[in-house]
Amino acid sequence: MPQTFDSLIQSLDIAVFARKNDTKFELVSLKPDWFDHFCDADVETGQTVTLGLLFPFVDCFLHEASNVWQSGTRKPHRSGIWVEQCSDGQEIALEASALCDQKTSLLIIQNMSEQHANRQVEVQVFRENTLLKEHAQAEYIGQKKKLRAHEEEIAVRLLSAAKHRDQETAAHVMRIGLYAEAMAKALGWNDTLAADIRVAAPMHDIGKIGIPDHILLKPGKLTADEFELMKQHAVIGEDMLKGSSIGVLNMGAEIALCHHERWDGEGYPRGLKGDEIPVSARITTIVDVYDALSHKRVYKEAFDKNSTLNIMSEMVGTHFDPELYAVFMNNLSVMEYIKDTNKEIEE
């Protein structure tokens, strides 16, 4: 071969073989140094070797290579890198390529050790970076869970303070949150928002902490003036919760303010109508009525399922958002499960 071509062969660190028959190949290039690890040192250019014996992997590749040689293509067909272990324990990464040069079937074996080592380094760096990202993500998730727990603790403590003045039971406020979360998930809310409403919805009546005892705890029917004062619990609840950097408390504020608004605009305190009412409050209104009707209170017995649903159906389009009520009904089995698995202590 011309000297310039030999220099190119050496720079590429390859051995070029011409196919003589199915198993025999003639070395037609200068012999690279690494080839001595696999054959007798006296093998030189022009000699014929059985590559399948020297490189068992090549023996398998020859089945693919034969198709290339039959096609006469000059486009190389590569085997992919494999690693050979020498007798001295050294590992050499090699790659074979089959192609045709005019009528000659060629097999080229190239030393890919440097490229293989670089690739291994890249893979290792990628793996380490991935592990670092996974660790950072785990840390982030852990911190997020801690923050979430702190936020929920704040909400629970606020509810605990309100419970000392209101007559609502712990089971009731828990059910309200679970009902609302189930509705949110049915609407396709993400996990964070669904968890927010689970904590925020039970705070809908938190403003009652600011209502005087003679009104809040009055056993009989409220007078018109007393009822006007009672209605202020919505505004008081919003004032207690709004303006926080904690998302769940801000949602609690809008629920507290708007859970007595009505779809037809006849509610209080602002007379909001339809979509003007935050969806979180519209959800809470439906599930609060459902739970109130379904359970015994000091002033009434619990209504059965049919009576509860008949009363609620009459409120659709006036008190309730019709579309949200349809979602509620489509998930009634979930609501009933929540009701049945979170009973009052006295039940």
Side-chain angles (χ1 to χ4, degrees):
M1 288 188 177
Q3 186 174 1
T4 54
F5 187 76
D6 288 342
S7 299
L8 176 63
I9 295 294
Q10 286 181 313
S11 66
L12 293 174
D13 206 9
I14 62 177
V16 181
F17 299 89
R19 179 173 176 262
K20 309 302 291 183
N21 56 42
D22 289 344
T23 59
K24 301 294 185 180
F25 291 81
E26 177 188 348
L27 179 62
V28 295
S29 68
L30 293 177
K31 182 180 67 173
D33 293 339
W34 55 264
F35 194 67
D36 284 337
H37 289 286
F38 305 100
C39 66
D40 295 334
D42 58 354
V43 173
E44 297 295 342
T45 303
Q47 290 186 266
T48 300
V49 295
T50 304
L51 289 179
L53 294 177
L54 299 180
F55 306 105
F57 183 87
V58 169
D59 194 34
C60 298
F61 179 64
L62 290 179
H63 296 289
E64 298 179 31
S66 63
N67 295 326
V68 176
W69 294 324
Q70 289 177 13
S71 70
T73 180
R74 297 175 64 89
K75 183 179 179 180
H77 177 69
R78 302 181 186 280
S79 66
I81 295 175
W82 79 92
V83 177
E84 295 280 359
Q85 186 164 11
C86 307
S87 58
D88 60 1
Q90 179 182 354
E91 290 186 343
I92 298 179
L94 301 172
E95 183 176 51
S97 299
L99 71 158
C100 292
D101 180 29
Q102 297 180 352
K103 295 183 179 181
T104 305
S105 299
L106 298 178
L107 185 73
I108 300 172
I109 301 179
Q110 184 174 11
N111 182 1
M112 303 291 289
S113 296
E114 183 177 352
Q115 296 91 327
H116 181 63
N118 291 338
R119 179 57 180 162
Q120 285 184 311
V121 170
E122 290 174 1
V123 170
Q124 183 63 27
V125 170
F126 176 79
R127 183 182 294 115
E128 291 175 356
N129 288 339
T130 300
L131 290 173
L132 285 173
K133 288 179 181 178
E134 289 176 352
H135 178 73
Q137 186 176 24
E139 285 284 330
Y140 170 75
I141 292 173
Q143 291 298 323
K144 192 174 180 180
K145 285 182 178 178
K146 287 182 181 179
L147 178 60
R148 183 77 203 183
H150 291 158
E151 292 175 354
E152 292 195 13
E153 181 182 0
I154 291 170
V156 168
R157 289 184 179 275
L158 286 170
L159 284 170
S160 179
K163 187 176 66 175
H164 289 290
R165 303 210 57 245
D166 195 2
Q167 296 178 355
E168 300 290 10
T169 66
H172 167 71
V173 295
M174 178 181 292
R175 288 192 299 267
I176 294 300
L178 294 173
Y179 295 142
E181 181 182 38
M183 286 278 287
K185 288 182 176 179
L187 289 167
W189 291 20
N190 63 44
D191 290 343
T192 298
L193 287 177
D196 279 351
I197 199 169
R198 173 174 53 80
V199 179
M203 293 190 283
H204 60 288
D205 277 337
I206 198 169
K208 288 182 178 179
I209 198 171
I211 302 301
D213 284 349
H214 73 276
I215 296 176
L216 183 64
L217 304 178
K218 184 177 179 179
K221 184 177 180 179
L222 299 178
T223 66
D225 289 340
E226 289 171 338
F227 185 61
E228 287 301 316
L229 286 174
M230 175 63 84
K231 288 195 295 187
Q232 289 302 304
H233 79 276
V235 176
I236 295 171
E238 183 204 28
D239 287 341
M240 290 176 62
L241 301 173
K242 70 179 181 181
S244 172
S245 61
I246 300 175
V248 68
L249 295 185
N250 287 324
M251 183 183 286
E254 69 180 17
I255 291 174
L257 179 66
C258 300
H259 70 285
H260 284 295
E261 299 288 0
R262 291 173 35 150
W263 185 252
D264 62 5
E266 296 299 317
Y268 67 86
R270 295 180 176 176
L272 301 180
K273 182 178 181 179
D275 291 337
E276 295 174 347
I277 307 167
V279 65
S280 60
R282 283 180 268 150
I283 290 172
T284 303
T285 298
I286 294 172
V287 299
D288 188 32
V289 171
Y290 171 70
D291 198 71
L293 293 174
S294 301
H295 290 85
K296 180 181 178 180
R297 291 294 180 263
V298 293
Y299 53 87
K300 74 169 188 67
E301 293 297 320
F303 289 100
D304 62 26
K305 176 180 177 179
N306 289 335
S307 298
T308 296
L309 296 180
N310 286 337
I311 294 170
M312 293 183 71
S313 66
E314 293 177 358
M315 301 172 74
V316 176
T318 53
H319 289 70
F320 300 154
D321 176 340
E323 291 186 4
L324 284 182
Y325 186 71
V327 173
F328 172 83
M329 290 300 296
N330 288 337
N331 291 271
L332 184 60
S333 61
V334 179
M335 305 303 166
E336 291 178 330
Y337 176 80
I338 292 170
K339 176 174 69 69
D340 293 340
T341 54
N342 295 274
K343 294 181 178 295
E344 308 289 347
I345 295 177
E346 61 268 24
E347 293 180 357

